[in-house]
Amino acid sequence: TCKKAIEERFTKYTSSLGLIELRQEIATHYQKKYGVQVDPEQVIVTEGTSPAMLLTFAVLLSSGDHIIVSNPHYPCYPAFIQFLRGQPNYVRVKEEDGFQYRPGAIRKAISKKTRAIVINSPSNPTGNLLSDAAMKEIADLAGRNRWIVSDEIYHGLSYGGAEHTALEYAPGAFVLNGFSKAYAMTGWRLGYLIYP
């Protein structure tokens, strides 16, 4: 399909939100796989998930605000947070505990400056998959001026359990995803953001 598009010179600018057909397919995918309703107007197609992450943190952060991140974590999380003059607030996950991101530990880390909690399940670098119960508990920690940011780029690559989207528990979550991992399309730099 991509080769055909190039051959037919379909290489023009699109809407800055991305092709509506792709955004509709992303919404349909979330309905079919997870049973959640996503309006295609909530989807922004990006040049990979990093721009989606940067957009999300830029919307959520003012100088000095905090975002809760597991430790260990994907290195871009604190880099982008600090670039935007925010502060990562780390919650340690331990190997002897199966690298579980514990809702109780997250709750203790929340302050008046906390604007978001980052979920990454399956996790980079640990591969940990959050349980249904943990996802629900973490989603319940969202509230007024505090959001869930769910990095779902490794969905489709879990072995031994079903992954869940944060949208199943927190319809107002920001979801980052893309095509590079599950579809082996890293060079295409194609990601997306689903926003409330």
Side-chain angles (χ1 to χ4, degrees), residues 44 46 48-57 175-177 191-193:
I44 300 174
T46 57
T49 53
S50 290
M53 189 183 314
L54 190 57
L55 283 170
T56 301
F57 292 158
V175 171
L176 316 168
N177 206 335
Y192 57 89
L193 164 64

Side-chain angles (χ1 to χ4, degrees), residues 61-66 78-88:
L61 286 169
S62 293
S63 184
D65 286 344
H66 297 182
F80 287 159
I81 293 165
Q82 291 167 337
F83 175 76
L84 294 163
R85 302 190 196 293
Q87 180 178 321

Side-chain angles (χ1 to χ4, degrees), residues 166-184:
L167 296 172
E168 294 175 57
Y169 314 96
F174 288 82
V175 171
L176 316 168
N177 206 335
F179 301 90
S180 63
K181 309 297 189 235
Y183 300 97

Side-chain angles (χ1 to χ4, degrees), residues 101-117:
Y101 200 21
R102 299 290 182 193
I106 295 169
R107 189 176 292 107
K108 287 179 186 173
I110 292 172
S111 73
K112 289 179 182 178
K113 292 187 173 195
T114 302
R115 293 295 165 255
I117 302 162

